[in-house]
Structures are given as C-alpha cells and as structure tokens.
Amino acid sequence: MLDINEFLGLERVDEWTFSSSQLWGAPATVNAFGGQLVALSLGAAFKTFMDCVDKTRTATFKVQDNALGSRIVSRTVQCFQDERLAMQTVCSFIAQKAQDFQAQFKHQTPMPEIEQPGAGNSAFMLDPQGYPNEFPVKIWVTELDSDLVTPAPAKQRIWLESPDKRTHSEQFQQCILALFTDVHFTRVIVRPFGIRMAPPPRHLRKIVSIDHHIWFHQSVDPRRPILVDTECKQLGAGRGVVQSEMYAHDRRLVATVVQEGRVEIDPHVRLPSPKL
C-alpha cells in the first residue's frame, strides 16, 4: 500500500507554487484521482496560512491569497499540467476560534445506528477489490462491485480508514479526509440502474466528478474508521448530485460533502427502470 506522506506530499517551487509527481489513478485510465487533487490543493493552501489530469505527469499547484479580513482566511489553488489549468480549488479557513460562550450552541444530524467494521454484528466487509495500484485507504462495504448489477436505491454507507498509523498534524488529517470524500461516490449516482464500476460496462461512456464541496466541521483521526453516509439526490441531463455525511468513530459529524458527477450512457442501450 502506498505511503500516505508520499501520496499527499508537495514540493515547494516558490512561495506560492507547489508540485506533485505522485499522482494516482486506476490502471484502465490516464486520469488522476480527483480526491487526491482536492487533498493536495488543501495541503497547498495550508502551507501558505475539471479537466482530465494525467496521472503519469507532474501537477503544479499555484496558491493565491484572497484577503477577506482578520477572521476569514481564503486561498485559491490552481492545478496546472503543462501550463494548462486542470482544476481550481477555493479553501476558506476560520483564523480565530469561536468564543467560549458560542461553543454551547450546537447540534448535528445523528449518526446512523450501524456497527463499525469488526464488530460482532457488523454487515461490513473489507472490500477485496477496493481501489487498485496500492491505493492508501482501507474500504469496508456491504456490497461488492459484482452486486451492483442489481438495481437498488441511490444510497450507500461505507467505512474508510487510513492504514498509516503514524501521528500527523490536524491539517494533514484534514487532507486525508479530503482524499476520503471521493472514494466510491460515483457508483451511487447510477446505483438505481444496476451499473457496476469495475470493470464498467461499455455503455457507461463516462462518469466523473465535476464539482466538489467539503465543509469540515470538527477535527478527526483518519487512523480510526470513518463512516461515509451517501445519497444521490438527483440525476438528470447527464449530471448527478451526491451528498455525504462523514462521521468519526465516536459518532461526531466531522464533514459534509456535496459533489456533482457527469454521467454519459450510450443512448441506444435500454436500461432497467430505476429502483428508488
């Protein structure tokens, strides 16, 4: 399995520019993994405080300081390959902690009542297929990829965990969490039609992430299992919107994620009626 420090490592070129030559992608495509690019962009922003990206070539990340005031810090990170803009990320940070009296005002959506991996009654199993090429994340699922051919509602729950047990900074932990947000999310979009992802059928011409938003609520240790509760709210006109809540092992809601995926299916193929 790949070293997470190398996987999310950045080399500083100058004050506002960073590069990474350790891009990961599935063997069947030259495209780099979007979650890694988001995590690297967040890492580049921290160090100062979509077109297809070829995984075999170096990516350069340039950071721009967006002055918003003393309490809000913002960075725009642009990812380039061969001087071509491939992706842009905007990261906003709260530079000051909330006052103590504000901490009492809080609530969250409760974590679903399900067993963690390894528990006696847990329905989750370590995905034997997972992501190829030594992807540095452990994935627990209730459905194997071969099960996806049976239409089902556009919902999914998976557990994710970093196998790297070294201690990292809170900022680097958030970068790992950003990496987690892109795992298996696209398959939820077409789940009602019984379409598997690995290997994808010929009539699935394209399914990629085109928009990606993350709200970090609390700190989290990715060395412990994190539940990702996901649902595709809508698919139409070739685009699907997916929302995920991410919960720490101690039931805290640590992040909310909304992504948009582009889907292109051969129009001559007759798909089953969606199961919703």
Side-chain angles (χ1 to χ4, degrees):
M1 193 169 282
L2 296 174
D3 187 301
I4 194 68
N5 284 320
E6 295 181 5
F7 197 78
L8 297 181
L10 287 167
E11 181 179 348
R12 186 183 290 271
V13 178
D14 58 38
E15 182 181 4
W16 295 99
T17 307
F18 305 84
S19 69
S20 172
S21 57
Q22 300 292 326
L23 301 186
W24 181 93
T29 175
V30 299
N31 295 348
F33 180 62
Q36 183 186 17
L37 299 178
V38 172
L40 287 168
S41 296
L42 178 61
F46 272 137
K47 288 181 181 295
T48 68
F49 167 66
M50 172 117 96
D51 287 336
C52 295
V53 180
D54 190 336
K55 68 184 181 186
T56 65
R57 304 164 79 171
T58 297
T60 301
F61 298 82
K62 294 188 176 182
V63 182
Q64 175 182 333
D65 181 9
N66 307 323
L68 293 181
S70 60
R71 188 167 184 266
I72 305 296
V73 176
S74 178
R75 300 287 188 265
T76 296
V77 184
Q78 294 180 319
C79 172
F80 291 88
Q81 278 195 326
D82 299 328
E83 300 183 356
R84 176 180 60 88
L85 179 62
M87 190 183 78
Q88 180 167 286
T89 302
V90 177
C91 304
S92 298
F93 310 99
I94 304 297
Q96 300 174 357
K97 291 186 177 181
Q99 297 176 343
D100 291 341
F101 73 89
Q102 295 288 354
Q104 62 181 309
F105 302 110
K106 60 183 180 180
H107 65 82
Q108 70 164 64
T109 300
M111 176 177 164
E113 295 293 337
I114 57 177
E115 295 283 353
Q116 293 189 24
N121 297 322
S122 176
F124 290 85
M125 54 187 160
L126 193 61
D127 191 347
Q129 187 172 23
Y131 277 30
N133 290 6
E134 301 184 71
F135 188 69
V137 178
K138 296 174 82 173
I139 308 171
W140 281 274
V141 298
T142 56
E143 295 180 310
L144 301 179
D145 197 77
S146 56
D147 298 326
L148 302 183
V149 297
T150 302
K155 299 180 180 181
Q156 172 182 263
R157 288 172 177 168
I158 61 176
W159 290 89
L160 302 174
E161 177 186 343
S162 172
D164 188 322
K165 301 307 178 185
R166 289 174 291 185
T167 300
H168 296 290
S169 68
E170 182 177 341
Q171 292 179 348
F172 195 77
Q173 289 175 340
Q174 286 186 305
C175 292
I176 296 175
L177 191 65
L179 173 68
F180 285 1
T181 63
D182 219 26
V183 173
H184 278 340
F185 106 90
T186 51
R187 72 182 194 175
V188 183
I189 299 175
V190 292
R191 188 69 186 86
F193 296 101
I195 298 177
R196 65 182 299 176
M197 294 288 103
R202 291 184 178 181
H203 58 266
L204 181 59
R205 294 177 174 176
K206 180 177 293 186
I207 182 166
V208 294
S209 174
I210 58 175
D211 207 357
H212 197 134
H213 301 262
I214 308 172
W215 291 266
F216 297 101
H217 307 312
Q218 302 182 64
S219 61
V220 64
D221 185 351
R223 297 174 298 179
R224 304 289 297 272
I226 295 174
L227 175 67
V228 187
D229 189 11
T230 303
E231 181 178 3
C232 180
K233 302 291 187 178
Q234 190 269 348
L235 170 62
R239 295 186 175 186
V241 177
V242 177
Q243 180 171 323
S244 301
E245 284 80 40
M246 305 182 75
Y247 296 89
H249 71 282
D250 56 5
R251 311 189 69 81
R252 291 179 299 115
L253 179 64
V254 296
T256 300
V257 184
V258 177
Q259 298 187 72
E260 184 179 24
R262 179 184 173 191
V263 181
E264 187 175 317
I265 298 174
D266 188 334
H268 300 100
V269 173
R270 186 177 181 84
L271 295 175
S273 298
K275 183 174 182 180
L276 303 175

